[in-house]
Every structure is written in C-alpha cells, then in structure tokens.
Amino acid sequence: MTQVRIFDTTLRDGEQAPGFSMTPEAKLRMAKALAALKVDVIEAGFAAASPGDAQSIMEIAGTIEGPVICSLARAVRGDILASASALAPAPRKRLHLFLGTSPIHREAKLQMTRDQVLEAIRTSIAFGRDYFDDIEFSAEDAIRTEREFLAEALSLAAAEGATTLNVPDTVGYTTPEETYDLFRFLDGAVDRPKGMIFSTHCHDDLGMAVANSLAAVRAGAQQVECAVNGIGERAGNCALEDVVMALRTRGNLYNATTNVDTTKIMAASRTLSQITNTPPPRNKSIVGANAFAHESGIHQHGVLQNRETYEIMKPEDIGLSTEGIVLGKHSGRHALAARAKALGYMLEGEQLDETFAAFKIVADEVGTVDTARLVALLSEAQTHRPQDLWKLSKLDIRAPLSVSAWPVVRVELEHGERGRVTDIASAPGALDGAFAAVSQMIGVPARVDSLEMQYIAADPDQDAPDGQGASVLVEMTIEVDGEIFAGRARSRDILPCCVSAYIDAASNAQAVRDLREMNARKDQAA
C-alpha cells in the first residue's frame, strides 16, 4: 500500500481563519494533540506574520517530538530567515515556500510576468537551501494556472532543490474528476528526481475538499494537507478526520494508508473545540455528535442486532466510547426494551406496550429521553407511582459591587417527594455558584466538562410578546467520579436554561448511581 503523509495545517491555515485565532499556549496544547495523533508534518504557523507567531512556532519546535515542524513563508528572503530562526530548535524542520502562479494572481496580486514568477521560485528556493534540507514549494492557486506553466514552475522548483511539490486548490474551485486528471498530467509532465512527492491542499468552498484530496491520492499524490474539524480559510480545509478515515475504511479502493493513530482523532477534535470554543456541527462526519448516534427505530433495531447494519466504522476506531442509541420520538420498541434491560428493567408483553406508549408521550414532549427520565418512566411502570424529577423553581443572583467579591446565588428546586428545597452558594461566577448549590441539594458533586448553547432569535416579522421572542437550547456534559453525563434544557432565558441543563445532567448521574446501588443489593441478596 502507498504511504500517504498527513500534513496538518490546523495551526496555520486553520488558525488564520476568522474565529479560530489561538494563544501561544493553546497552539502548543494543540500541537501536542497532533503529535499524539502521529501526523507526519505540523505546519505550526507563518513565522513572518507576527513576532507572536514566530515565538509560538519556536516553542512548538523546541517542545514537540515526532512530526516534522514546518513554517509557511512567501518567496522572499525575509520570510525565509524568519522561518529559519523560528524553527531553529526543531530536530526535524521544513520550509514551506509559496508563490501564486495563476494568471489572476500574477496580474492582480503580484504584478509579475511568467518569467518573474519563475525567477522568484528559483532564487527563493536556492536561498532556502542554505538553511533547510526539507523544502516544500506550493504553486498558489495551482488549479487555475495554465497546465504547461504549472508543470514548468514545479519542474524548476524540483531542479532547485524542493523536496515536496504542492498543488493547492487555493479557492476550492475544482472537482474530483479535474483533480485526478491534473495530477495524472503533472506526474508525466514535471521533471523531478526519483522519490519526490506531490502534495494536495484543497479548500471546501464547493464542499469537495475531501473528495478532491482523495482524487489526488488516487492519481498518485502522497501527501494530503488538511486540518482537524476541517477548519481553515473561508469554508475551510480538507478535514483531517474525513480523509484519514476514508483511507482507512476504503483502503481497498485507494490502496493507501497513513501513520495516523485514529484512536486519537476524537481527542484532537475535542481539544480544538475547547481551544476555539467552536465545536463541529452535530452532523459533521466522523467527529460530529450525531456521527454514531441512532434515533430512528428501524436503524436502532438493525444496530442492536449488528452495528455494521448502519455503521461503516467503529466509534472505538476514533477513540469514542458511546452508547449510540438515542431514545427519542422516532425510537421503536426494540431500542426501548434493550435500553431498559441495560438499566435492569425487563419489559415484555403488555408491560412493554404500556411503557412504550408512555415513553412516546414523554418523547414528544421533551425530544430526547435521557437516563433520568427513562428510569423515572420505568419505575413508574413497575410501582404505578409517579416518579418526580428535580425541576428549577427559582434562581436569584446577587452580584457584588466589588470586582473582587463573588456573586451569591440562591437556587430553589422542586421535587415530587422532597418538595421545595433551597440552597445558597457563592463562587467566582454566577453559574458556578448556581451549579454548586444544585450539587449540594441533589447530592451529586460534579465538574462541568462542556457547555454548548444555541441562542436563536425570533424572525423579525414574528410577533413576540416580550419583544425578543428568543429560544435558548443548552447541551451540557458534567464529570462525576470520572464518568461523563449529559444534560439538556430549552428555555427563554440563558441563565435558567444553563442551570436546568446542569440539573438534567446531575439527575442522570444520580439515576445511574441509584441503579448501581440497587443492582448491588440484588446481587448481595442473591
């Protein structure tokens, strides 16, 4: 099989996109995640862009072991010197030179003729060779460059000492068919030493970055430039997780493999999401929250029999441990019975029919039926006694006048058996205080692991009694004794919605704890 190198540009092309800027500490943390992922090359930044970027590259170069550390540079001496200085501590380093070659770049941006572009390629690579043994040359906007001139430019770069030739679709314009045809043409038209490889760098403006990258691999490219979660300029870069898992899952088609440790994909994705405060969309392939989730009854039945009926890869392959079955209004009897059995409840015959009917009513009301709600439903089916869950009744926040003092939060909860319970807590933040008060009342000490909020304003033409008419959805995960539990809530206001989601997650943790204690007592009695 062909070994395809993974050139990660999360910290350069990804980071320079609006909304994805990272601090030096965050970039180093992400670089460590990429090294654990075992990518071949980490493009750590653009040394000449700013002193801060140069310092960040230098810190990564002196800390990270394993991957080649790379810096981007324009085809000018100042950029090359800045890259050489920033990469000095790296045991393995690469200079990534680029220069526009397409007519529109030559005329509108560079104001250079063909001959001037070729001369700049020649002199910059020759100068770079004084500082680097490993030089990658990118013909910016290669896809829109005249084929013969592109072949001439790449041949010159190879002759001057470039070791990797990158053919980027800088503006995300091409298609898989065109990509395959171009790389086949370049394979025969570019004069280069044996062993020199072609690289592909695709953008997602037309949604084809991954497909185009795979087409390049099929045509002979041996390096793919990509970014975690597909971040990057405009619509983003080829998503690392997509191209790596495509090559792994369809290795028989592409006859290619990578060195990536795929079990670290989810960890790298989450690290980036935490750093940038931007999680991938729920329906994002491989790393999205729904990538291995099933709510449809038909799908759930198949997955319960054999996961391969609806899953082409295992969640464990990307480092994800998940139940996969999401109970909601589309779920069927098989999924409900299986989940109930896992919780220690056997549902059969008439009891299953009655519980399923009640389950559908709850699912229509709340959407996703989580562990706490399901346990309450199952207990009610067995005891015929309503099982009440904790609900937020009142939230009172008193902010101090002094900036050094902590807010005091009073939370009032309501419970079917315990009635109305109130507690007060103080913390550096109002939400921290509210969460602490809830934990004290429910008896579940927890740490917030993640919090995602969607604030959706009403349509301007829609009448809203309060003048705003917004809807807030909060999805949260908390850590309790090393385990992760999820909660969600929908409300009109942000703070109560966050507290309600925390209550939901803590209730799920409490339900699981109670079930374990009940099963332990059963085992002892047996």
Side-chain angles (χ1 to χ4, degrees), residues 12 16 43 45-51 53-55 57-58 70-88 93-100 109-110 120 123-125 127-129 131-132 134-136 140:
R12 199 278 300 170
Q16 72 188 33
E43 189 168 42
F46 189 171
S50 72
D53 217 25
Q55 182 60 40
I57 294 170
M58 183 175 289
C70 174
S71 171
L72 186 71
R74 292 166 296 184
V76 294
R77 294 194 171 197
D79 281 22
I80 296 169
L81 291 172
S83 295
S85 176
L87 290 170
K93 55 191 174 184
R94 174 181 295 186
L95 175 67
H96 185 187
L97 282 172
F98 75 97
L99 184 64
K109 188 178 77 169
L110 301 173
T123 56
S124 61
I125 293 178
F127 183 72
R129 290 286 293 171
Y131 301 90
F132 294 90
D134 186 353
I135 297 178
E136 176 173 334
E140 188 182 12

Side-chain angles (χ1 to χ4, degrees), residues 163-483:
T163 49
T164 301
L165 302 176
N166 187 34
V167 185
D169 181 14
T170 305
V171 293
Y173 178 74
T174 193
T175 67
E177 294 80 4
E178 291 173 325
T179 301
Y180 178 84
D181 188 53
L182 176 61
F183 273 84
R184 294 308 300 158
F185 165 78
L186 293 174
D187 185 49
V190 174
D191 293 328
R192 62 197 190 280
K194 185 179 180 181
M196 177 171 292
I197 68 169
F198 285 115
S199 176
T200 179
H201 177 116
C202 298
H203 281 263
D204 210 34
D205 298 72
L206 292 177
M208 291 187 279
V210 174
N212 288 333
S213 298
L214 291 170
V217 169
R218 198 162 53 87
Q222 290 179 261
Q223 178 177 281
V224 175
E225 306 195 0
C226 46
V228 174
N229 292 352
I231 69 170
E233 287 281 11
R234 303 180 311 281
N237 288 316
C238 168
L240 178 149
E241 59 275 7
D242 292 2
V243 74
V244 167
M245 291 309 293
L247 291 175
R248 176 189 170 104
T249 306
R250 300 304 309 276
N252 58 328
L253 176 64
Y254 294 102
N255 193 34
T257 187
T258 71
N259 288 320
V260 169
D261 180 354
T262 64
T263 63
K264 299 296 192 298
I265 285 178
M266 205 67 215
S269 174
R270 285 175 173 162
T271 297
L272 181 63
S273 297
Q274 291 167 355
I275 288 171
T276 62
N277 292 315
T278 308
R282 293 191 69 90
N283 65 330
K284 167 72 180 68
S285 50
I286 314 300
V287 294
N290 287 354
F292 294 92
H294 309 274
E295 186 181 327
S296 163
I298 295 172
H299 284 224
Q300 289 176 336
H301 186 200
V303 168
L304 288 168
Q305 303 304 313
N306 185 330
R307 294 194 74 103
E308 292 184 12
T309 53
Y310 288 102
E311 290 183 2
I312 60 171
M313 63 193 87
K314 298 176 182 177
E316 294 81 8
D317 290 343
I318 64 164
L320 179 64
S321 177
T322 178
E323 170 61 31
I325 300 296
V326 176
L327 293 181
K329 67 178 184 178
H330 302 106
S331 299
R333 282 177 170 77
H334 293 285
L336 176 62
R339 185 73 180 123
K341 183 178 180 181
L343 294 172
Y345 294 85
M346 296 301 296
L347 293 180
E348 295 176 334
E350 186 177 339
Q351 189 179 44
L352 173 58
D353 293 338
E354 292 175 357
T355 306
F356 184 66
F359 162 78
K360 282 290 188 178
I361 294 172
V362 174
D364 277 332
E365 179 187 347
V366 302
T368 300
V369 180
D370 53 34
T371 303
R373 284 192 175 91
L374 182 59
V375 168
L377 192 67
L378 295 170
S379 296
E380 184 175 341
Q382 285 195 349
T383 64
H384 303 289
R385 190 179 70 216
Q387 302 290 311
D388 290 297
L389 298 171
W390 290 101
K391 294 179 183 177
L392 178 64
S393 177
K394 189 179 292 185
L395 179 65
D396 182 19
I397 300 172
R398 300 188 181 185
L401 295 176
S402 170
V403 294
S404 60
W406 289 2
V408 177
V409 184
R410 177 179 177 273
V411 180
E412 186 178 284
L413 302 184
E414 210 168 314
H415 190 270
E417 294 181 358
R418 293 178 58 182
R420 194 165 291 177
V421 183
T422 302
D423 210 329
I424 296 174
S426 183
L431 277 178
D432 294 329
F435 296 158
V438 169
S439 283
Q440 288 165 187
M441 285 183 278
I442 296 180
V444 179
R447 180 189 68 84
V448 174
D449 178 68
S450 70
L451 190 156
E452 296 178 24
M453 181 182 70
Q454 296 178 29
Y455 183 93
I456 303 175
D459 189 283
D461 299 328
Q462 180 182 340
D463 291 332
D466 61 358
Q468 182 66 29
S471 173
V472 180
L473 173 65
V474 171
E475 295 185 293
M476 178 186 298
T477 58
I478 63 173
E479 182 184 331
V480 181
D481 297 330
E483 288 187 84

